Amino acid sequence: MGNIKRLIVVLLVGMIAIGCIACSSTSIESSKVNIEDMTGSEKVDYFLSKGKNDYEAVKNDDDKLTDLGSQYIKDISKYVDDETQFNSDNMEDIMTKGSFLEQYGKDKMEMFKTSGQEDSNGYKTAKEVNSLGMNAVQMVKYVYREAETKEDDSTKANIKQVKESLEQLQ
């Protein structure tokens, strides 16, 4: 009788192990993002999260962080200067890079604030980077969701804010 119990336990453990392996491969496949199946709001949330996740991935590498931050500012500036910010791919890029810059500026502001340097140029620059990121996202996310058009007054005001933020960072 003892051998039968052991056999049953071994079989149950084996079945559970096979079930876990099957479940893990299913969850890997289902975790892949299919942007085409998302609503406009879900896509916006995805790109904003992507920007924050990209920031989190490099936030401890000052050289990489500075290089990416500088490049992202240049990219947003180029889109606005060329008036191509409302191309769908560019809006997605702006949301991702804007979210990255917003978080970058926020963290740097907190660092300066914690060390008592709120009057420093570094704090002011971090604040402008944060504002640029936030304004860049605002500029495109409602147009992307099709809640606004690029001709709406609020969209034009957001473009103006982005341009002002960019001027402050020159």
Side-chain angles (χ1 to χ4, degrees), residues 8 21 27 44 55 93 103 107 115 154 160 170:
I8 291 173
I21 291 169
S27 64
V44 168
Y55 169 77
D93 197 38
Q103 191 63 47
D107 281 3
S115 63
S154 55
K160 183 180 177 193
Q170 299 300 325

Side-chain angles (χ1 to χ4, degrees), residues 138-157:
Q138 288 291 112
M139 174 180 67
V140 298
K141 79 176 181 180
Y142 296 108
V143 174
Y144 188 84
R145 287 180 179 156
E146 297 180 353
E148 293 179 2
T149 67
K150 60 185 179 182
E151 289 83 23
D152 287 347
D153 289 340
S154 55
T155 304
K156 290 177 183 177

Side-chain angles (χ1 to χ4, degrees), residues 47-48 50-56 58 64-77 79 93-109 125-137 162 165-166 169:
F47 291 112
L48 296 179
K50 183 179 181 323
K52 288 180 182 175
N53 291 339
D54 290 352
Y55 169 77
E56 289 295 325
V58 298
K64 182 111 175 154
L65 190 58
T66 301
D67 290 345
L68 284 175
S70 297
Q71 185 60 52
Y72 290 178
I73 291 168
K74 289 176 188 173
D75 292 347
I76 290 171
S77 179
Y79 292 140
D93 197 38
I94 289 169
M95 285 186 282
T96 301
K97 291 175 178 180
S99 177
F100 178 101
L101 292 171
E102 183 178 357
Q103 191 63 47
Y104 180 23
K106 180 181 175 184
D107 281 3
K108 290 298 181 184
M109 285 168 53
T125 300
K127 188 174 181 179
E128 287 302 326
V129 169
N130 175 264
S131 291
L132 172 61
M134 192 170 27
N135 291 331
V137 168
V162 168
S165 292
L166 288 166
L169 291 167

